[in-house]
Structure formats: structure tokens, C-alpha cells
Amino acid sequence: MKTFNNSNDVFATRIPMVTFIFLGLAPLAIVWYGAFIFNFNNADNLFLYIIQIGADSIAMMVLLGLWITILIDVIVENHHRAHKNQDVSFLKNEHPTIDIFITVYGEPIEIIQETVRAAASMEYINKKVIILDDGKSDEVRYLAKKLHVYYYRRRNNSHAKAGNVNNALNFSKSDFFAILDADHIPKKKFITTLLPFMADKEIAMVQSPQHFSNMHDFIASGTAQAQEVFYKYVCPAKNISNSAFSVGTNVIFRRSAIDEIGGIVLNNSEDIWTTFLLHKNKWKTIFVNKVLAVGIAPTTIISFFKQQRRWAVGGLDILINENPLHTKELDIDQRIQYFISSTFFLVGIPIIVYIVMPLIYLLTGQKPLVIEDGVLWLIHYLPYFILYFTLTWLLLGQKMLISTMSTALASFYPYLMALFAVFFSTEQEWVATTSSKSNVDPIMKWIWPHVFLLILSILSLIVGWYNPIEFWATFFNSLWVSLNIFLLIMFLSKSQMK
Amino acid sequence: MKKEMKFKEILINTIYFTAVFVFATLIATQSLARKVNTFQTINSPVFFYVNKEKVVVPTVVAGTVKEIMVTPGQHVSEGDLVVRIDNKMFERKIILLEQNAQNNLSAKTELDILRERRDSYNIYAPKDGVVYQMHTSEGSYLQSGEGAFTLFADDNAHLISYVTPVQYGEIQKNGEVSIYSKRLQQAFKVRLNGIGRVTKDPIAMQSNVNNAAQARKYELIFHFENSEDGAVFIEQESLQLMNAIENEAIKRPMEKVADLWNALIIGGKLN
């Protein structure tokens, strides 16, 4: 695939030529569609119209956020970027100490074993591998003994992973520390690739991407394309404005920087919050786009939803309680980047609206827009619609997978749960991605909205075609509902429940 | 313990599922019921109401009503005597004049005039029809020109119908329309003569019919092809459009599904 810049600079994103089509097309499609829907003359039922344009505005804003991020990456040429030196001599000259924290909470022992073994065999001598076991498992303790690594089990489990790491900082005195989730297996060159960037004394955090190996599972493959866009475009672009944030694993922190902000933030989204505080204190962070650890993506619905909800809570927490656009300590680029990343999680609102709106029409005949013969609306809507369906091709050169659309559709529930939780400030329980403790809930507790919407969608098709007053409106809404039915059925049937 | 947990889990899942299923079905059924109501309103049988020509018959002379010869509802023919006004004074005057007429020329002239007026003390039915209402009673006083009674004329009957725009379209397609009287077990031909008022239909608007234009009612005026047909009907009697009666038998498949649903869930009647 032809790319824009072929340098081996770890900071450069390799942008395929086809992405320029996206850059040109996206604003046009958005404006063209907007011209139709933001025209009040096209409004039908006023209440529904307001909801529709509200949802569409959020969707457009998220799309534009992505567009801005990619555009910045294209515009800012390599030699303008502040080059951070990967100074390999740093390791040889200063012999920095580094502790590798492996946070464990009930993951399967086979996986923990892989991770610990890999961590122990990473290249670099001045390291200490420490298992931080909140699962309080003797089996894991025995494993630590067998593999000659350190083991620590704190007395309680307060503040989950964040508390776990902070506790370890009490007795860890190394210059740097890395965090690895128990299911993320590091490569040999993890330390030797990332640590040299710390030669620049202003850098507090070096983050590498999360990469998943289990792509044959429905949910895992469904999130893969979104993940790829994130790590291929979004994270590297953030380097330009010094707004790369931690994702909680595969990361190295500078001990003194963390001390300065008072430890890892004790919060369920400690990754983004810690980075946020570092930025406020004028520390620098960088993202290195090299896969240096391989993890396991969530495969069951419950673990997937919990993960999504956790990420959404982090982002929305910053958006609603901190309002990044007005944070004085950050410069304007950083504020924009934090704003874009956190507003992404509002996408739960347009998703649920897109599911429910055609149902409302088929059941009650009420619709937000006037669609007489469908032609005018279709003309305005089609480019926008095509843009959505070709997004993965334009950005990654891959065709849009059904699993991607399906999991994206189903994600409305954890995102809305997160929105609710942040608004009403309820405490969330942190659960590791592959923890066996994650599947205590009955499945319906997490998928009842999807089952409900599925049943209602099927019934609404029958109701809608009983003496339809407007043929074309009924037809298009039926198409939309049928697509949603298909995606919901795929999600519920192909994903693992447990 | 594990088996117990598993059972509890299955139970909770079942409860969730049932609740969700019932709720969704309720919503859909409610929506369907509203649509069926609207459909029935739009496609309800079209009724025609007979409107006969109302004739108010006045009295020429003033006077007290002596005798009413008919009862309301009674059919009268043209020229039938309906009301007699008291002519005692009048007759006495005539007798007086008759006595003087041989000698007195002016008396004779006046007598001639009065004799001509004699008939005015009788009020006759101006055309064939049914007496609707007496505006006076025996012993009451009537002013000159005041209405004595009203009758519905046999001829010139027309029919009024209130239809939806959809039905209006259907009627326009067929030039000649057949209507049916259940009472007489007979069909009649009528012709569309004009449109009266266009009003908003409250029922259709209630059912949230999507298009405002659909929630209108047109007042249509028809005449009998054969003008004598109108005679047999009484005012406001209703007849039904024949075409609609035929079409009711043919329902589109979706409506059959809806009827079945109705019968199963709401316990409605299966058509």
C-alpha cells in the first residue's frame, strides 16, 4: 500500500494515499448532509427533529475530530516535529533502574505464566519483575517463585489497579517503572526500545500500542479495526501536540514525575487521568508506534462491555468534570486533543437514536424529517452514508467487517451506562479483561436493551407495513431497521456469552 | 452450590427476557391498534344522508287557526288542504255584503274582491311531500306572511356524504355511484353534484394520521339520477355506498396478519 511518508521514524504514521480521499471527502459529505438536516423546512415532527439533529451533530463532531487529527498528522511534516531522541547510549551510560509491574487480578494462570516468562526474559539487566497480585492467589505466588520473580500481595484491594500500583510504589525505588496487564505479553525488546526515550529529562511517559492476537473471535475482530485506527492515526498524531495519553498497559513511567503528581490517580480510569495530570504539570509524553507487547482482546460480551464502559467513563469523566477546553495548564493543542478523545464516547447517543428513530416511524408514523418521495433526502444522505461504510477502507485499506459494525452498534449500551454513571457519579467496579471473576452477572443484565430492541424491531416491521401511508418513508425505514436487526442478531449469536 | 447458582442465573435471565419480550410486544400491539383504528376510519363505509327540500308554507291572511287537517309525518299531495284559518268574521262580512250587493255597486265590487280572497283562509300543500312540522296550533293567531307549517318536498331530494380525501378520489373515479338502502333492500343510482364544506376530521386527527391533508372531510352533495326516487325517503335517512361494501371482503395480507394478532392478543373479533 503506497504511503505518504516512508520514513522509519517511529513517530511518523504511515498514511496510505487512499486516506487523502477521506480527508477531501469527509467534510464535503458532512456539509452536504448537514445542508439538508439543519434546514428547518425539512423538519416534520419537531420533537423528533431536535433529537435527530442533536444525534447527528454528535456523530458529525466525532467524525470531524478524527478528520482534524489525521489532517494535523499530514500537514505537520517530519522535520517540523520536535524530535525526541531515542538515545540508546542512555541505557549504557546511566544504567537506569526499572521495575516491571505485572498487575494480576484473577486472570487464567496460563496467561499470567506467559506474561511473566516474557517479562523476565526481556533484554536489559537492570530490571526487576514484580507481580502485583490483587487476586491473592497462591498459585500465582508459586509461579513467581518458580520463575524467580518478585511477588507482592497487598492487604486490601482498594482502588483496584491504580491502588495496586500506588501501593507498589511504596517499596519500589527504581528510576522508572513499567505497567503490564497480566494478559499482555511483552516482547524482548520492550525495555530497550522504549526506555532510551527517557534520555530526554522532560519526558514522563512512554507508551506503546496495545495489539491483540485473538482476532478470530467475533468481538475481538469487531474491535480490531477501531483499535487500528486509534493506534495508527490518533495516537501518533497526538505526539505532535504532546497529548499522547496512557492506555494503562505497555507503558513506562518516570518515577519522579509520578511522585510529583502524587502517585497514580486513584480512579477507575487512572490511565487517562494520570496523563492528564502529567500534562497539567508540563511534563511531556510520547507514543511509540511499535508493537512491543501482544495482548488478548475481550471475547465475551460482558468483559467487552465492561472494558468499553471503563474507557468511556474515563473519557467522559474528563469531559464533564474537568472540561478540557478550559484547562488553563494545557496549551490549546492539548486541550483540543483531550476534547476530541473524550467526546468520542458520546457516540452512544447517536447510535441509540439511529436504532430507535426508524422504529418510532414504523410504529407511529412520526418522523423527524419530511421525506416525500425520498429522493431529495437520499441525495443528501447517500455520500454521508457511503463515507461511514467505506471508513475502514479509506483509513486502513480494509473492507468494513460485519463484526466491526455489529460491535460498534452494540456498544451504545456501555457508552450510555458510562454517561449515566459520570453524570450521577456512581462508583464503578474495575474488572480485568480476561478475569474469570468478570462473568458473575447473568447475561441478560448486559444485553436486555439489545434483546428488547431486536424484538421491537421485528414487530415494528409488521406494524409498519400495515396500511403504510407513505411508501418510500416506510421502505427506507424498513431497510434501516432490517440492517439493525441483522447486526444485533450477529452480535448476540456470534459473541461468546461466557 | 454451583448448581444452585446456575439455576438462579437461568431464572434471572428468564425474568429479564420475559419482561423485555412482554414490554416490546405491548408497545407494538398498542401501535398496531392505533393504526387499525386509523385504517378503519379512513376506509370506513361511506354513508349518505337524505336531505329533502324544506318548504315553509306561509299564510296570506292573518287570523286565528280554526282547524289543522294533518298530523306531522303525514304525506300530502299538491293541493291538499292543510290548515283552515278562522273566517267567521270574514263570512259574516260576505253575508252582509251579499245583502247589500243588489243595490250597492261598491258593495258588489267589494263582495267580488272578498269572494276571491275566500280561498286564502285555506292553506294548501304547495307540492307533494311529507308534513314535517306545524308552526302553529288550533286557536293560535297567525300574522300575515307567517309560516304555518313546513313540509319536506318529495322531489328535489339530495344526498349529503362526508368522505375522506381518499374516498373522494374513489368516488370521482366512478362517474355514477350506486347506493343501497337497507330499509328498502334496494339500490339507487346517484350523481355527484358538488362539494360543500371541507372540514377537519377530529377522529382521524386523534389517531395521529401523519399527513394533515388526510385528516379532512369533504362534504359531497349528490342527486338521485331518477328524481322521483327521493320521495320514498324521509329526512336524514341513511344509505350506504355500494362499492365499499364489496371491497371490504378483499383485505391485503398485512391486514389479515393484523387481524389475527388482534384476535390473539387483544381478543378482538376476527373479521
Side-chain angles (χ1 to χ4, degrees), chain A residues 351-363 409 412 449-465 474 477-489 492, chain B residues 20-21 23-25 27-28 261:
Chain A
I351 295 178
I352 189 69
V353 169
Y354 290 154
I355 298 177
V356 171
M357 202 59 88
L359 291 183
I360 292 180
Y361 176 73
L362 290 178
L363 291 174
L409 187 80
F412 76 87
H450 307 79
V451 176
F452 172 71
L453 289 171
L454 180 61
I455 298 175
L456 193 60
S457 298
I458 296 173
L459 293 178
S460 75
L461 282 179
I462 301 176
V463 175
W465 283 102
T474 311
N477 279 296
S478 303
L479 276 185
W480 199 256
V481 169
S482 304
L483 176 65
N484 290 339
I485 289 176
F486 171 68
L487 292 175
L488 282 172
I489 289 180
L492 293 173
Chain B
V20 150
F21 183 81
F23 193 46
T25 311
I27 294 179
W261 184 337

Side-chain angles (χ1 to χ4, degrees), chain A residues 365 444 463-464 467 470 498, chain B residues 9 13 31 35 39 210 254:
Chain A
M444 281 300 293
V463 175
N467 190 33
E470 298 164 306
K498 290 223 153 286
Chain B
E9 193 186 324
N13 278 337
S31 307
K35 272 198 138 185
F39 178 65
N210 202 13
M254 218 30 110

Side-chain angles (χ1 to χ4, degrees), chain A residues 189-208:
Chain A
K189 295 205 182 291
F190 180 87
I191 300 180
T192 48
T193 311
L194 298 180
L195 202 48
F197 287 99
M198 290 294 193
D200 180 347
K201 296 261 183 285
E202 292 186 331
I203 294 185
M205 176 204 90
V206 181
Q207 172 77 55
S208 69

Side-chain angles (χ1 to χ4, degrees), chain A residues 45-307:
Chain A
N45 181 311
L46 197 59
F47 177 66
L48 294 181
Y49 176 71
I50 292 176
I51 293 180
Q52 176 78 43
I53 56 172
D56 274 330
S57 304
I58 296 178
M60 288 177 182
M61 178 176 66
V62 170
L63 196 58
L64 278 175
L66 179 66
W67 181 81
I68 290 174
T69 307
I70 298 180
L71 189 67
I72 290 175
D73 212 3
V74 166
I75 289 178
V76 176
E77 289 169 25
N78 283 348
H79 60 270
H80 284 309
R81 297 171 203 237
H83 258 268
K84 287 113 185 156
N85 288 317
Q86 184 183 23
D87 188 2
V88 194
S89 63
F90 173 63
L91 298 184
K92 271 196 293 218
N93 297 341
E94 305 206 18
H95 309 290
T97 52
I98 179 166
D99 285 343
I100 314 290
F101 295 145
I102 302 182
T103 51
V104 172
Y105 186 55
E107 287 83 356
I109 190 72
E110 309 83 44
I111 296 179
I112 302 176
Q113 188 172 324
E114 287 287 321
T115 309
V116 175
R117 267 220 188 92
S121 29
M122 287 192 295
E123 288 170 8
Y124 188 64
I125 297 185
N126 231 351
K127 69 176 187 296
K128 260 205 308 228
V129 177
I130 310 173
I131 299 180
L132 303 177
D133 186 14
D134 265 356
K136 323 272 187 246
S137 159
D138 292 333
E139 208 180 2
V140 175
R141 179 160 50 189
Y142 178 68
L143 176 73
K145 196 164 162 201
K146 213 168 54 153
L147 297 175
H148 306 294
V149 298
Y150 292 84
Y151 176 90
Y152 194 74
R153 183 195 291 189
R154 58 179 173 150
R155 272 199 202 96
N156 55 24
N157 278 3
S158 66
H159 297 111
K161 179 171 154 187
N164 202 0
V165 172
N166 266 347
N167 191 318
L169 292 179
N170 281 333
F171 59 83
S172 154
K173 295 300 166 205
S174 53
D175 303 320
F176 302 95
F177 65 93
I179 302 181
L180 285 175
D181 280 347
D183 51 6
H184 280 262
I185 303 170
K187 298 197 169 176
K188 276 192 157 33
K189 295 205 182 291
F190 180 87
I191 300 180
T192 48
T193 311
L194 298 180
L195 202 48
F197 287 99
M198 290 294 193
D200 180 347
K201 296 261 183 285
E202 292 186 331
I203 294 185
M205 176 204 90
V206 181
Q207 172 77 55
S208 69
Q210 284 180 299
H211 183 86
F212 299 108
S213 56
N214 55 329
M215 284 318 165
H216 42 271
D217 290 294
F218 187 77
I219 290 182
S221 81
T223 52
Q225 291 183 318
Q227 292 276 0
E228 212 180 314
V229 171
F230 181 67
Y231 286 117
K232 190 177 160 110
Y233 290 103
V234 177
C235 286
K238 286 179 182 295
N239 279 334
I240 298 173
S241 48
N242 185 31
S243 28
F245 57 81
S246 159
V247 295
T249 181
N250 313 349
V251 60
I252 298 182
F253 284 104
R254 182 185 297 271
R255 179 59 195 265
S256 51
I258 298 297
D259 282 343
E260 193 182 298
I261 64 170
I264 302 279
V265 175
L266 292 176
N267 176 299
N268 279 301
S269 306
E270 84 287 346
D271 35 27
I272 193 170
W273 272 105
T274 305
T275 328
F276 192 67
L277 282 187
L278 286 172
H279 285 142
K280 274 171 89 166
N281 281 305
K282 304 297 182 200
W283 284 97
K284 294 215 175 92
T285 61
I286 56 173
F287 172 81
V288 177
N289 198 9
K290 262 196 151 87
V291 173
L292 294 165
V294 177
I296 299 183
T299 56
T300 67
I301 291 180
I302 295 183
S303 57
F304 170 63
F305 277 179
K306 282 187 171 174
Q307 178 204 56

